[in-house]
Each structure stands twice: as structure tokens, then as C-alpha cells.
Amino acid sequence: MTETDMITARSLSRSFKTKSGPVEAVRGIDLDVRPGEIVGLLGPNGAGKTTTLRMLTTLLMPSSGTATVAGHDLVREPRDVRRRIGYVSQVGAPPSAGTIVGEELVTQARLQGLSKADATTRLSEVAPRLSLGGLERRALLELSGGQRRRFDIALGLMHSPQLVFLDEPTTGLDPQSRANLWDHIRSLRDDSGVTILLTTHYLDEADALADRVLVMDDGKIVADDTPDALKARISGDVITLAFGVAGELARAESVARTAVPVREVVVTDSALLVTVDEGAVAVAPILRALDFAGLSPSSITVNRPTLDDVFLTLTGRSLREGAEGDSAA
Amino acid sequence: MFTEMFVIFQRQMRILLRNPVWVFFGLTQPILYLALFGPLLKNVSGGGLGGDSAWRVFVPGLLLQLAIFGAGFAGFGVIQELREGVIDRQRVTPARRVSLIFGRTLSNMVTIGVQAIVLVLVALPFGLSASWSGIASSVVLICLLALGISAASYAMGLILKDEDGFAPFIQGVSLPLLLLSGVLLPMSLAPAWLRHASQVNPLTYVVDATRALFRGDFGNHDVWIGALVTVALGALLAWWGTRTFQRQSA
Ligand SMILES: Nc1ncnc2c1ncn2[C@@H]1O[C@H](COP(=O)(O)OP(=O)(O)OP(=O)(O)O)[C@@H](O)[C@H]1O
Ligand SMILES: [Mg+2]
């Protein structure tokens, strides 16, 4: 923890009273986010991601624990926190008739304390940045899914916050809109230095966007590392070497074992699976050694473990299973 | 704080005015009462009814009904806004929670004020003859009441969070209160037990006051009691609504 951290949370917890007894949505999490970081909060349905975000954005009182957000205490100085943060909630119900893109954005900016003139100027800056230029007079009901999500993000950016919380920014979007939104989110940090905490179900999203991934399960943070380090920590990379001639496999195995430090080697009918710490570094020495021994593989692939593998190792459950179990319940 | 309130007020009014169905029915509903129910009253006698003075009894009742139903159902809107994420998005700004709720209640109050004025104007050709200053002060009282009721309705909306619970609740509370206040026919026609029951209903005093005001009977003690009850009730409901809104949104 340093003085300049954007978010510092200690033992943050929240429980809900429900008819079927208390629900411990978040169980004492610690969190540090540095300025300019993009941090991904990854977890299955019901892990407590939204609850965490709602606490950090002053929308929900923590049951216990403390947090400093954008330099101010969450509980004692909520208005100072609110002035400095942007919050984009999980997708809600369709918008009401009669709401207009530009008006809603200006209204939001004015509630954030901008004057009418400043809000209008800001609209003309933010709209094009999120490819909403020309849509200012459009009714919210007439926006496409991707446009709607970009509008939601624009709402959170009108007052130029230092810190933005995005709750499942790309859920429900087609692959092209997702990739497009990723670019927008990255440029927020790269061009304006905005710190971003986002939640996601998608492994590839956390992998693509986040500098650091917090894996959340059942109200607790079960891992906190860079996407690459998380992958390396769990299972290493797998180099798959295929050979046309079956007899070459046994010789190739001993060659590979002597060429680089391997974690594990598996021989299948037609291929050799070599698990190493870093595939990118190991591939060249292995190939040179094979070539020296007069062996040439018919194909080579390097597979990095997915965050799904990571999640499985960390929690003993696959992300997808967790999601299905929850929605079936 | 007033800027924030005005920004919310403006947003609500714009959305409202863009809805042609609402504008149409909102304004024609009071007229329907006048046209389709009012004429029956001419032939009822007793309780100050009968003949043209019937309108002086009936129109104040309609005004109260307008306030109760118009403001009572305000909470519907906030349930939809909750689902859309509008409430959360506004709560995450430094805007004061009081402004968020009062900007909204202000738009309800203005709407009901306009409807009340339309109602009175339309009632004139039907035969309403009443004291102008009495009408004006009645509209003011009705607006104050609407302010309190809509604040309370917003708070209820946030508590119940669901139309299926909210609609029966509002119906269930407002209908007996309205009937017990003698909005349709004056309570002087009621049997003793009903009259006693109506005396614990604050709305009774509001109707009595507006009826006295329409007669131009400013010195009548009904006016002062009714005005006090209205102000107290409006303030109490507004206070409770604001407090709940603040609690619900920490
Ligand atoms: N207002 C509430 N009242 C009662 N329980 C709640 C409430 N909000 C959340 N919960 C419970 O807290 C737990 C965590 O919910 P949360 O919404 O934080 O999960 P999430 O990680 O955001 O899930 P998702 O990926 O589905 O959005 C869940 O078990 C949920 O049922
Ligand atoms: Mg969530």
C-alpha cells in the first residue's frame, strides 16, 4: 500500500439478509490498485464482483472493512469519492422512451457539477471518442447493443474521472463490438491515464485488457497476478511437436529432454507434448537440437494455458461449470 | 443544490412531454370525470348538492383525486429507473440525494398543478362558479399535498422495487383514503359510523378546506384546519420520503 494508490481496500465485506438466511456476498477482500492500471476482476456468476464494485463506488455500504478510493475514505467522504470516479453498471433494463443520447450525457455531466456550457463542450469531446459522434439526437431506444454500451461508458466519462469502474462492459455483445469496445477501453488508459477496474466472465477479456487479474470466487479473491504470471504459475506452456514417422517420437523425446529444462513430456500416437515454463523461449533450442539429430517435426504449436485452466486449478471448478450451476439454481 | 434539482426536474419534464399518450390522457382524464360523472350530481339533493352549486362540491373532490392518484403512482417511474440503472448512475454523482428526489417530486407537482388548472377551466363551462382566490389557494394546497405524496411514493417504489407489489399497495392505500374523505360525495351525507371514520383521515380536512375555499368562505375554520393538515401532511411525507430515499441509497 502506498499513499498514491487509486484504490486501497482492507477486509472489505458485505453480507445481505435474504429470506433464506444471510448471504455473504463479499468476505473480507484486500485490494490495491495503482494509478494507470487496468485491473480485471474475474469470476463466475455470484462470485461477488458487482457487490465489490457497488461498495467501491459508494452505492452500497460495506458490512465491515475499510477502503480508500481516489484518495478519499469510502464511508467518511463519499461525495469526494463520487466526484473522482465513473461507474458503468452491469447492463440493466431497456431505456425509457423519450430519453435522448446527448441530453442524458449532459444531464449526467451537470449532476457531476459541470456548468451547462462545460457539459456541452465535454459532450462534443466524449461522443466522438466513443464513436457516438452524430448520435447525440438519437433516442436511447434506437441504439444498437454496442452503441448502447458505448453510451453507458460515455456517461461514466463525462466528468473526466481519474478512476472508472466497468461492470461487465462487453456482456451480450457480438465479437466485433467486443473487440471494438476493448480498443476504446485500452485507449482510455493509454491516452488519458485513466485507472480502470473492470469485471468480466470472459477469460479472453481479462487476458486481452488487464495488466493484472484478480480471480474472485465465492466472495474471496483467490488469485492476484498478471495474466501471464497466473498462467505460468499454474501449468506452464505446452509445445506440441507432431511427427509423421512413429519411430522418430522416442528419439525426439530424449533430444527434447536434453535440450531444455522440461516440466513434463507426454508421448501420444503421433505427437510429443513438452510442457515448459516459457514456450516462446524453449522452442528455438528444441528445434535446433532436433535438427542436429536429423529429426524434423511436421508441425509445431505452442499453447499457453487459458485462464479457464487457471481457474480450474485455483478453485477446483471450471468457470463454465460455476456459471451453469448458478443459473440453474 | 438548486441547480442539481433543476437538472433533474428538467430531465423528468422533457421525458414526460415527449410522451404524447401521457399528455393526452393526463389532460383528458379530469375532463372525463366532469363530463361523465358530474351531471349525475345535479339531481342529488342534500349535503349542499343539487343545482349549480354541486360543481363547487364536486370539483374540489376531483382536485384531491388528481393529487392522490397522480402523485401516488409517481413511484412507478422510479421502479423503471431503478431497473434501467438511472438511479444508480445519478447516485454515483456528488449530487445531493435531496436534489435527486425533489427534482422528481417538483416535476410531479408542476404536472398536477397544470392538470388542476385545466380541470378548473374546463369545469367553468359546465357551470362551476367559485371564488377565484379560493380556487387559486386550493390549487396551491393540492400542489403541496402532491409534493409530499409523490416523495412518499418514490420512497415506496424504492422499498418495494417491483410494480407487482407497488400497484396493489398504492391502490389499497389510496382508494379507502379517498372514499373516506368524501371526494365524490360530501361526508355530511354519511351515516354516523362512516363520518367518524372519516374524521381520522387527514384527507377529509383537505377536501373540506378546498370546498370552503371554493365557496369563498375564507373565514371558515375548515380552511385553517385543512391548510394546517395539508402543510403538516405534505411536510411529513416529504421528510419521510427523502429520508427513505437517502437510506435506500446510502
Ligand atoms: N441486494 C441483494 N440482496 C441479497 N443478495 C444479494 C444482493 N445482491 C447480491 N446478492 C448476492 O450476493 C452474491 C454476489 O452477488 P454479485 O451480484 O456481487 O455477483 P457477481 O459476481 O456480480 O455475479 P454476476 O457475474 O452474475 O453479475 C450472490 O449470491 C447474490 O445472490
Ligand atoms: Mg455482477
Side-chain angles (χ1 to χ4, degrees):
Chain A
M1 173 169 43
T2 66
E3 275 301 297
T4 54
D5 268 355
M6 206 44 115
I7 304 175
T8 310
R10 289 293 171 266
S11 313
L12 208 58
S13 312
R14 172 74 200 209
S15 55
F16 293 102
K17 287 195 206 84
T18 66
K19 291 196 185 80
S20 53
V23 175
E24 303 228 12
V26 176
R27 308 165 187 253
I29 61 169
D30 294 340
L31 196 74
D32 295 291
V33 177
R34 287 181 296 277
E37 249 189 323
I38 301 184
V39 175
L41 199 55
L42 173 76
N45 283 125
K49 305 182 296 294
T50 299
T51 307
T52 304
L53 245 55
R54 289 174 62 81
M55 281 194 281
L56 293 174
T57 51
T58 75
L59 289 174
L60 200 60
M61 273 294 208
S63 305
S64 65
T66 57
T68 307
V69 176
H72 294 271
D73 186 272
L74 203 58
V75 178
R76 282 199 311 270
E77 306 161 313
R79 290 190 72 203
D80 292 301
V81 173
R82 290 179 189 134
R83 256 188 271 277
R84 290 167 178 81
I85 63 167
Y87 170 62
V88 179
S89 66
Q90 213 166 329
V91 183
S96 299
T99 45
I100 306 288
V101 172
E103 282 176 11
E104 291 295 286
L105 289 170
V106 168
T107 298
Q108 187 67 18
R110 300 214 60 200
L111 290 178
Q112 281 288 358
L114 272 71
S115 71
K116 198 168 180 179
D118 288 347
T120 315
T121 314
R122 185 67 186 148
L123 172 65
S124 62
E125 291 164 11
V126 171
R129 269 192 67 180
L130 286 160
S131 315
L132 292 169
L135 295 179
E136 291 89 344
R137 287 164 181 274
R138 204 56 92 71
L140 254 58
L141 275 173
E142 296 163 358
L143 296 183
S144 74
Q147 288 168 339
R148 172 79 209 281
R149 222 45 197 140
R150 293 204 300 276
F151 162 79
D152 288 340
I153 295 179
L155 279 173
L157 297 179
M158 287 302 285
H159 56 301
S160 320
Q162 312 160 3
L163 171 62
V164 176
F165 296 87
L166 306 171
D167 201 353
E168 299 189 19
T170 68
T171 297
L173 297 184
D174 58 277
Q176 206 182 338
S177 310
R178 283 181 71 204
N180 171 276
L181 205 54
W182 288 354
D183 289 339
H184 285 299
I185 293 171
R186 265 191 226 105
S187 81
L188 272 182
R189 191 267 305 270
D190 296 345
D191 304 344
S192 324
V194 177
T195 310
I196 299 169
L197 179 60
L198 61 93
T199 75
T200 181
H201 284 247
Y202 300 121
L203 310 158
D204 58 336
E205 184 156 285
D207 204 2
L209 282 179
D211 304 319
R212 200 149 58 85
V213 180
L214 307 177
V215 183
M216 202 166 182
D217 186 42
D218 197 23
K220 290 184 296 276
I221 290 179
V222 294
D224 172 356
D225 223 327
T226 64
D228 284 345
L230 272 181
K231 290 176 190 172
R233 197 165 101 195
I234 305 309
S235 48
D237 298 349
V238 179
I239 302 173
T240 306
L241 302 154
F243 289 91
V245 187
E248 292 183 342
L249 277 171
R251 274 178 62 213
E253 184 191 350
S254 60
V255 171
R257 277 187 188 281
T258 48
V260 292
V262 300
R263 288 202 195 175
E264 193 186 7
V265 181
V266 176
V267 184
T268 70
D269 288 349
S270 57
L272 193 64
L273 306 177
V274 186
T275 305
V276 297
D277 285 344
E278 273 198 79
V281 177
V283 115
I286 290 179
L287 277 183
R288 250 183 270 122
L290 287 173
D291 191 39
F292 193 71
L295 295 165
S296 55
S298 56
S299 77
I300 307 163
T301 49
V302 179
N303 284 313
R304 316 220 55 200
T306 63
L307 280 169
D308 208 357
D309 300 330
V310 174
F311 196 79
L312 184 66
T313 320
L314 288 171
T315 66
R317 291 183 299 115
S318 128
L319 258 187
R320 209 142 296 128
E321 269 170 34
E324 271 161 19
D326 203 82
S327 59
Chain B
M1 180 171 133
F2 288 103
T3 317
E4 297 162 357
M5 209 186 292
F6 181 68
V7 167
I8 297 284
F9 169 76
Q10 237 185 350
R11 174 180 189 271
Q12 302 301 108
M13 289 312 282
R14 270 196 308 244
I15 293 173
L16 198 69
L17 292 176
R18 277 203 193 103
N19 184 346
V21 180
W22 187 90
V23 171
F24 181 76
F25 283 107
L27 290 178
T28 50
Q29 216 163 24
I31 301 174
L32 285 179
Y33 266 103
L34 284 175
L36 304 181
F37 186 79
L40 299 181
L41 293 171
K42 278 201 175 177
N43 302 321
V44 183
S45 51
L49 289 171
D52 276 349
S53 66
W55 294 107
R56 280 209 297 263
V57 175
F58 183 50
V59 173
L62 280 188
L63 285 181
L64 181 71
Q65 192 170 349
L66 193 69
I68 300 291
F69 282 130
F73 281 103
F76 259 119
V78 93
I79 294 176
Q80 162 68 12
E81 288 187 307
L82 210 55
R83 295 227 172 89
E84 275 176 54
V86 174
I87 298 291
D88 272 356
R89 164 213 309 173
Q90 292 180 350
R91 277 168 39 190
V92 86
T93 69
R96 286 167 194 79
R97 270 85 266 257
V98 184
S99 320
L100 298 184
I101 185 165
F102 268 88
R104 287 178 166 78
T105 55
L106 216 55
S107 79
N108 296 105
M109 194 183 89
V110 168
T111 312
I112 287 164
V114 169
Q115 283 175 322
I117 290 166
V118 170
L119 181 79
V120 169
L121 291 181
V122 174
L124 291 175
F126 279 95
L128 170 72
S129 64
S131 144
W132 279 111
S133 47
I135 290 175
S137 1
S138 295
V139 170
V140 170
L141 282 188
I142 289 299
C143 283
L144 284 179
L145 190 65
L147 190 78
I149 292 176
S150 52
S153 178
Y154 283 125
M156 266 334 278
L158 288 181
I159 291 174
L160 295 175
K161 295 191 178 67
D162 168 54
E163 287 92 348
D164 294 339
F166 183 76
F169 175 84
I170 297 295
Q171 281 285 357
V173 172
S174 56
L175 200 60
L177 281 179
L178 268 179
L179 291 177
L180 262 186
S181 67
V183 269
L184 295 180
L185 295 171
M187 272 296 153
S188 49
L189 298 172
W193 68 269
L194 195 56
R195 222 173 17 243
H196 290 310
S198 82
Q199 276 163 4
V200 294
N201 178 4
L203 296 185
T204 307
Y205 302 96
V206 181
V207 193
D208 287 349
T210 49
R211 282 185 178 144
L213 283 169
F214 267 57
R215 287 197 303 271
D217 197 356
F218 285 91
N220 195 313
H221 69 280
D222 276 352
V223 171
W224 300 113
I225 295 175
L228 276 178
V229 170
T230 309
V231 171
L233 185 66
L236 183 76
L237 288 175
W239 170 79
W240 177 77
T242 312
R243 205 183 65 132
T244 310
F245 191 92
Q246 259 159 346
R247 290 242 171 119
Q248 289 286 317
S249 53

